[in-house]
Amino acid sequence: AQSVTQLDSQVPVFEEAPVELRCNYSSSVSVYLFWYVQYPNQGLQLLLKYLSGSTLVKGINGFEAEFNKSQTSFHLRKPSVHISDTAEYFCAVSSNEKLTFGTGTRLTIIP
Amino acid sequence: EAGVVQSPRYKIIEKKQPVAFWCNPISGHNTLYWYRQNLGQGPELLIRYENEEAVDDSQLPKDRFSAERLKGVDSTLKIQPAELGDSAVYLCASSLNYIQYFGAGTRLSVL
């Protein structure tokens, strides 16, 4: 079985400040890792993914994440956030074609 | 290239009524998924298709939910009869090379 923990349900951040959204996972097998973003009343959009190779992965909208196998983490970061980054962010782990999501982190940008 | 298309976007029904959701995956994607997303939660898998075969329906409440994927392309998810607890967003996704792409979802309200 696999699971994903997003410890922070809500994260308020001032505009142009850096942000880190935390994600930890557990799995007994090798996994692929993803971050998705969901804007209000929309589906999930892929931000970035880790399948193999470099542990630092870059995605869309200036986001990046680092895969840490020893700490079973895949934290999402952005050096400077914008109002348009206000959304729900979901971390997900995949093995054997099964995608398991965390409960999400609501990122609120304060002007 | 068109993304995953779902219809309708919104549906309001009374309890005990039937309801159906439709999904058209991205062309060439053989794998199709149906998820349910409750308010404030991440999506949870209901069923996964490989072409027209349902390969994982372990989380589908089979007493009232059914799904089909004729000719391995479009898919329909049905609930009959609907219950108050079925109110949620129903998401369809299709995948290629381990990456899942989501539609905008159908928001179901059962009154």
Side-chain angles (χ1 to χ4, degrees):
Chain A
Q2 58 195 28
S3 65
V4 177
T5 301
Q6 293 183 249
L7 291 171
D8 305 307
S9 59
Q10 297 186 58
V11 174
V13 181
F14 285 103
E15 192 173 13
E16 298 184 4
V19 68
E20 178 179 84
L21 305 183
R22 296 180 294 170
C23 172
N24 287 88
Y25 70 93
S26 67
S27 177
S28 57
V29 298
S30 296
V31 297
Y32 301 134
L33 295 159
F34 304 85
W35 275 98
Y36 284 86
V37 59
Q38 187 173 35
Y39 299 103
N41 298 316
Q42 295 187 27
L44 279 74
Q45 179 182 3
L46 181 67
L47 265 182
L48 48 78
K49 61 188 182 294
Y50 172 78
L51 302 181
S52 64
S54 174
T55 57
L56 182 63
V57 293
K58 295 187 182 298
I60 62 172
N61 302 340
F63 284 92
E64 64 180 32
E66 186 158 18
F67 170 53
N68 188 318
K69 188 174 182 179
S70 62
Q71 298 187 7
T72 59
S73 67
F74 192 54
H75 301 330
L76 181 70
R77 302 185 184 98
K78 186 170 182 177
S80 176
V81 296
H82 303 284
I83 290 289
S84 59
D85 293 323
T86 296
E88 190 89 17
Y89 291 79
F90 291 94
C91 181
V93 60
S94 173
S95 67
N96 299 323
E97 296 279 0
K98 182 177 175 64
L99 194 61
T100 301
F101 287 87
T103 52
T105 297
R106 180 170 297 278
L107 177 62
T108 301
I109 309 303
I110 305 167
Chain B
E1 180 181 328
V4 177
V5 179
Q6 290 188 246
S7 68
R9 287 296 315 278
Y10 305 92
K11 189 73 176 180
I12 301 173
I13 62 172
E14 294 186 348
K15 63 180 180 181
K16 301 185 181 180
Q17 293 299 307
V19 64
F21 315 123
W22 176 80
C23 173
N24 178 244
I26 294 173
S27 177
H29 288 195
N30 296 328
T31 309
L32 182 146
Y33 310 78
W34 282 103
Y35 289 86
R36 177 167 58 189
Q37 185 177 20
N38 293 314
L39 190 64
Q41 300 293 317
E44 296 178 328
L45 181 68
L46 290 172
I47 189 168
R48 173 167 69 97
Y49 280 93
E50 292 290 345
N51 297 304
E52 65 271 17
E53 181 182 0
V55 297
D56 183 357
D57 63 356
S58 58
Q59 301 303 311
L60 189 73
K62 298 181 183 63
D63 56 336
R64 297 184 299 108
F65 286 65
S66 65
E68 60 181 9
R69 190 182 184 196
L70 300 177
K71 300 181 180 179
V73 181
D74 294 0
S75 178
T76 303
L77 178 69
K78 297 178 182 178
I79 309 175
Q80 182 172 8
E83 297 179 351
L84 295 177
D86 295 330
S87 294
V89 175
Y90 291 83
L91 294 164
C92 179
S94 64
S95 72
L96 184 67
N97 298 330
Y98 308 107
I99 301 169
Q100 295 189 26
Y101 300 88
F102 286 80
T106 297
R107 182 177 297 276
L108 174 66
S109 296
V110 182
L111 306 178

